[in-house]
Amino acid sequence: MEIGDLQLQTVMDSVKDGFIITNQCGEIISFNLSATKIFGYSQQQVTGQNIASLMSSEYRPLYFKYLQGIHIQDDKQQPTPSLEVLAKHQAGCVFPVELSVSALEVTGKKVFLATVRDISERKEADQSIKSYIEHIETIMDTVLDGLITIDMKGCIHSFNAAAEAIFGYRACDVIGRNVKMLMPEPYQSEHDMYLDNYHKTGDKKIIGIGREITGRRHSGHLFPMELGVNEMVVQGKTMFVGTVRDISERKAAEAAIDSYIRKLQISNSELDQFAYIASHDLKEPLRGLANNALFLEEDHGTAMGDEGVRRIKRIRFLCTRMEKLVDSLLYYSRLGRQDLAVEKVDLNALIDNVIELTLPEETAQSVHLSIPKALPSITCDKPKVSELFRNLISNAVKYNRSATKEIEIGVKSSIEPINNTLETQVFYVKDNGQGIDSRFFEDIFRIFKRLNEEDDSVRGTGVGLTFVKKIVERHNGQIWVESELDRGSCFNFTLKLGD
């Protein structure tokens, strides 16, 4: 057989892989059409050149070592393994090729047939896949939840860094093992039952549903965890991805909250008992003291003289005041614990009713109350909001020395200073009264706190604004005051029960 035979060259030029035939010294004898396309050289340019010149210099020793293991093929010989090297293009660039060499005997001479395939696209695809896998693994390792993938038999395929931290296992310790190792009984048996049922019926009983179960760490310690399982298909195979979250801290917090709630319930029960005692046992001696003072005045008033009668009346007044203070304290203790009677309320009608009941006819003549624009209807506890406006209107009249007492009730947009947020529905009650020093803006809402010394005929208990603040807070709102001495006050508040 002649090497330059036209029939052999035609066959070689028809294949897609590059065919290069060399002698034992590595000199190129034949170079097919595909090889010229791969390397950019014509057959004339490479004939007589050593095949090693087509390779990057660092791969030439590897190629020569590869040739040493190649012998003339016979029917019993196994296919020659391939070799990946970097080849040199005529343009000067290097590119990866897959090279396999076979030894042949042609007309009594030993030659080598090198089959060359450009694997640039495959390498780029492999690198792309590798980069994508690294990207996915990086994402998996940066999420806070544990991510575990398993196959239809429950065998673990991946185990991210968060899962390692949660369970105390390294990924290499669990990959290939059944996921049951991460849970105690009865969850192990339940897991087998779920998978078996899915195989038989296709019923996705736990797929797509989060649930709380108990996990087991490498140390053997059990802990509560939240597990979500979803199905996915990878290369035609059904897989499951489990999302695991250690909820030990949350459970501990819930237990602490439950404990606080139980203690609070006990405290409220004790407070109710105190309220019962106060309303009966505390007030009873006060009534007895007041009645005896009355009897003393009626029976011996003339004997005691004017000063004695004055002191007896003072005792009766203080008893009555003490009874009112007890009633106020009891009401305040219940105000934060009673359920709200929530309904839709027209504030315009509510305020009309409050004014009618709050301002006596003779007082109303010196009071000018205005509502610049109609107030909205809101969801609230009507009796308590009525009490809120009654207290604010009463204070606007009571602490006002002006000949005509100006009171304005309205709604506006304003910055709420407690949380520094813009509120579009801020209610306000504004007056032209004596005002409040800014030092006392917080003190005025404290129970029994009074800033003014009043005579006994008008002296209050110092609880009105405390009730107002508590009612606002029960409606998820905030209250604050804007005021200047001798220039009036404006009480602003939000009522957000219906938000």
Side-chain angles (χ1 to χ4, degrees):
M1 176 179 177
E2 292 294 329
I3 296 302
D5 186 85
L6 181 61
Q7 184 177 6
L8 176 60
Q9 189 64 44
T10 301
V11 172
M12 290 178 62
D13 286 343
S14 66
V15 297
K16 293 183 178 181
D17 290 337
F19 277 1
I20 305 173
I21 298 177
T22 70
N23 59 23
Q24 293 187 64
C25 296
E27 296 172 346
I28 298 173
I29 301 172
S30 180
F31 202 72
N32 77 338
L33 183 62
S34 294
T36 64
K37 294 178 180 178
I38 292 172
F39 290 94
Y41 293 100
S42 67
Q43 181 168 339
Q44 290 76 14
Q45 288 176 306
V46 297
T47 299
Q49 299 294 322
N50 196 290
I51 190 174
S53 65
L54 299 176
M55 303 175 198
S56 183
S57 58
E58 66 267 25
Y59 284 92
R60 292 171 187 174
L62 180 65
Y63 172 72
F64 291 131
K65 184 177 180 180
Y66 172 73
L67 284 181
Q68 293 175 4
I70 298 174
H71 305 282
I72 295 178
Q73 291 184 344
D74 54 38
D75 292 339
K76 297 180 181 179
Q77 186 180 13
Q78 298 296 321
T80 306
S82 59
L83 178 70
E84 289 187 6
V85 299
L86 282 180
K88 293 173 58 179
H89 194 274
Q90 184 193 27
C93 60
V94 295
F95 60 98
V97 297
E98 188 177 69
L99 174 70
S100 61
V101 179
S102 300
L104 305 173
E105 188 173 332
V106 179
T107 62
K109 295 181 180 180
K110 184 178 180 181
V111 296
F112 292 99
L113 172 63
T115 304
V116 181
R117 179 173 296 172
D118 185 346
I119 57 173
S120 300
E121 291 186 2
R122 191 182 78 189
K123 284 293 185 180
E124 289 177 2
D126 289 346
Q127 184 60 41
S128 177
I129 292 172
K130 181 181 178 182
S131 298
Y132 179 73
I133 291 173
E134 290 176 351
H135 177 67
I136 295 298
E137 288 177 346
T138 300
I139 293 174
M140 289 182 64
D141 285 341
T142 55
V143 298
L144 297 178
D145 292 338
L147 295 178
I148 306 170
T149 58
I150 64 171
D151 59 23
M152 291 285 287
K153 296 181 180 179
C155 182
I156 298 173
H157 283 246
S158 67
F159 200 76
N160 76 335
E164 290 181 328
I166 290 172
F167 290 97
Y169 287 99
R170 295 179 301 170
C172 60
D173 295 329
V174 298
I175 290 177
R177 300 175 66 181
N178 196 289
V179 72
K180 292 190 301 183
M181 66 181 289
L182 304 177
M183 58 189 80
E185 289 290 358
Y187 301 106
Q188 286 191 358
S189 301
E190 288 178 359
H191 172 75
D192 288 338
M193 180 184 67
Y194 291 141
L195 284 181
D196 185 60
N197 183 65
Y198 181 79
H199 282 301
K200 292 178 180 178
T201 66
D203 181 20
K204 302 177 182 180
K205 189 172 182 181
I206 61 170
I207 307 300
I209 301 174
R211 63 194 186 111
E212 292 184 5
I213 66 172
T214 300
R216 182 170 60 192
R217 305 191 201 278
H218 182 257
S219 62
H221 289 99
L222 304 183
F223 68 99
M225 69 180 191
E226 195 172 70
L227 172 67
V229 180
N230 284 289
E231 183 182 15
M232 62 181 181
V233 177
V234 180
Q235 296 180 341
K237 295 181 180 180
T238 299
M239 300 283 289
F240 302 101
V241 56
T243 306
V244 177
R245 178 173 297 174
D246 185 345
I247 56 174
S248 301
E249 292 185 3
R250 191 180 81 190
K251 284 295 184 182
E254 289 175 354
I257 291 172
D258 289 341
S259 175
Y260 292 146
I261 290 174
R262 287 193 297 270
K263 292 177 181 177
L264 184 59
Q265 289 171 339
I266 294 172
S267 177
N268 284 341
S269 176
E270 292 173 347
L271 188 58
D272 286 337
Q273 293 176 12
F274 165 76
Y276 177 82
I277 293 171
S279 63
H280 292 79
D281 297 352
L282 281 179
K283 291 168 69 175
E284 190 62 32
L286 288 175
R287 293 193 187 102
L289 183 59
N291 290 335
N292 277 281
L294 176 61
F295 299 152
L296 184 60
E297 180 184 356
E298 291 175 347
D299 295 342
H300 305 285
T302 55
M304 290 188 295
D306 292 341
E307 181 63 20
V309 171
R310 187 185 69 80
R311 292 184 179 277
I312 290 294
K313 287 182 177 180
R314 183 66 178 170
I315 291 172
R316 291 172 56 201
F317 168 78
L318 293 175
C319 288
T320 303
R321 178 172 172 76
M322 184 62 183
E323 189 171 353
K324 288 181 180 179
L325 289 173
V326 171
D327 287 337
S328 296
L329 183 60
L330 296 178
Y331 178 73
Y332 179 75
S333 71
R334 291 170 178 155
L335 190 59
R337 297 182 290 114
Q338 292 173 330
D339 293 333
L340 298 179
V342 177
E343 59 182 306
K344 198 73 173 178
V345 176
D346 179 359
L347 287 182
N348 302 285
L350 180 144
I351 289 175
D352 286 343
N353 186 61
V354 169
I355 293 171
E356 184 178 350
L357 297 175
T358 304
L359 300 179
E361 186 175 347
E362 63 275 10
T363 305
Q365 293 176 359
S366 63
V367 174
H368 179 256
L369 191 146
S370 62
I371 301 177
K373 63 179 180 179
L375 299 173
S377 294
I378 63 170
T379 301
C380 66
D381 184 309
K382 185 176 180 179
K384 287 184 171 55
V385 172
S386 296
E387 183 177 356
L388 183 158
F389 279 103
R390 181 184 63 78
N391 274 291
L392 292 178
I393 293 171
S394 296
N395 282 355
V397 175
K398 182 177 180 181
Y399 301 105
N400 195 326
R401 295 188 292 266
S402 302
T404 300
K405 300 171 174 58
E406 300 283 350
I407 301 175
E408 182 181 312
I409 299 175
V411 61
K412 62 183 178 180
S413 295
S414 177
I415 297 294
E416 185 259 279
I418 292 92
N419 298 305
N420 198 29
T421 56
L422 174 64
E423 296 290 346
T424 58
Q425 193 176 75
V426 176
F427 301 100
Y428 66 89
V429 176
K430 185 178 181 181
D431 64 61
N432 64 337
Q434 64 194 52
I436 304 168
D437 192 308
S438 59
R439 294 177 299 164
F440 304 118
F441 282 179
E442 293 185 8
D443 288 348
I444 57 175
F445 295 109
R446 293 176 183 167
I447 194 166
F448 301 141
K449 182 69 175 181
R450 291 180 293 107
L451 305 183
N452 306 89
E453 289 298 328
E454 305 141 4
D455 58 55
D456 290 343
S457 62
V458 296
R459 178 179 292 186
T461 57
V463 295
L465 288 178
T466 307
F467 291 166
V468 166
K469 187 173 187 294
K470 180 63 72 174
I471 291 169
V472 168
E473 290 174 346
R474 286 302 310 276
H475 285 75
N476 299 326
Q478 298 283 359
I479 184 168
W480 65 99
V481 63
E482 298 167 344
S483 183
E484 291 184 41
L485 286 174
D486 300 322
R487 300 193 64 177
S489 303
C490 182
F491 286 86
N492 305 280
F493 57 93
T494 55
L495 300 172
K496 304 173 70 174
L497 195 62
D499 289 0

